[in-house]
Amino acid sequence: MLILIVVDIGKGEAQLSDKFYSTSCPNVESLVQQAVLNKFKQTDVTAQATLRLFFHDCFVQGCDASIMIQSPNGDAEKDAPDNLSLAGDGFDTVMKAKQAVEAQCPGIVSCADILALAARDVIVITGGPSFRVELGRRDGLVSKASGVAGNLPEPSFNLTQLVAIFSKNNLTQFDMIALSGAHTSAH
């Protein structure tokens, strides 16, 4: 199920909890949801772009939003050849959600959690199931283009190679099929 995929790849080293921001930013989920919905109304590629962005982030260093880091030298994860095709709408969705959250809860919610929530919200908006997202991820502080190669499935991969790279990320062949279809689906 897609529910398990997002939850499984979303776990990092932090202690995750669905109540992580219950006192420090209790409206975080509704703030992100509204920002995602507003962006989705502007362009219908928002869902696929945001989900693909989350996938690319999680497969490289874990779900730490390091894909969002910009480098003046053009050597961050987002600048790697495998990530150049990521649609700007995914980045824009997360940035708009981050701005909405920062306006009410400055300096509290990680971009990694906002990206995870946004990925869940685009799944729901496009008719997928709703599910709980545990929060408490820490933002990555390192983002290197050189760390991307070999960590994302290549278009030329055969089934054995695809299964291996998904397995490396604790995902099954079923998960691979669901994610492959989900980030290219139309609403």
Side-chain angles (χ1 to χ4, degrees), residues 121-135:
D121 292 343
V122 296
I123 290 168
V124 172
I125 287 170
T126 57
S130 183
F131 51 92
R132 190 173 51 95
V133 174
E134 292 185 327
L135 303 170

Side-chain angles (χ1 to χ4, degrees), residues 53 66-71 74-86 91 143-145 148:
L53 182 66
S66 56
I67 189 101
M68 300 296 295
I69 296 174
Q70 296 187 36
S71 167
D75 60 356
E77 278 178 46
K78 70 187 299 181
D79 303 311
D82 287 344
N83 286 333
L84 293 178
S85 66
L86 291 173
F91 291 100
S143 181
K144 295 184 178 184
V148 175

Side-chain angles (χ1 to χ4, degrees), residues 10 60 77 81 98 119 158 170:
V60 176
E77 278 178 46
K98 180 70 171 167
N158 64 33
N170 298 318

Side-chain angles (χ1 to χ4, degrees), residues 94-107:
V94 177
M95 294 308 296
K96 287 185 183 316
K98 180 70 171 167
Q99 289 168 352
V101 171
E102 285 295 312
Q104 289 201 14
C105 309

Side-chain angles (χ1 to χ4, degrees), residues 10-74:
K11 292 196 177 193
E13 297 300 316
Q15 291 289 338
L16 302 181
S17 165
D18 59 344
K19 298 180 186 339
F20 192 82
Y21 299 111
S22 63
T23 57
S24 59
C25 190
N27 297 327
V28 64
E29 292 199 44
S30 61
L31 293 168
V32 172
Q33 183 180 46
Q34 188 59 54
V36 169
L37 183 59
N38 290 344
K39 179 65 181 168
F40 183 76
K41 288 177 181 177
Q42 293 173 358
T43 175
D44 60 359
V45 299
T46 296
Q48 295 85 343
T50 305
L51 190 57
R52 188 165 179 245
L53 182 66
F54 185 57
F55 171 82
H56 279 237
D57 181 54
C58 293
F59 263 51
V60 176
Q61 295 187 140
C63 304
D64 65 352
S66 56
I67 189 101
M68 300 296 295
I69 296 174
Q70 296 187 36
S71 167
N73 303 324

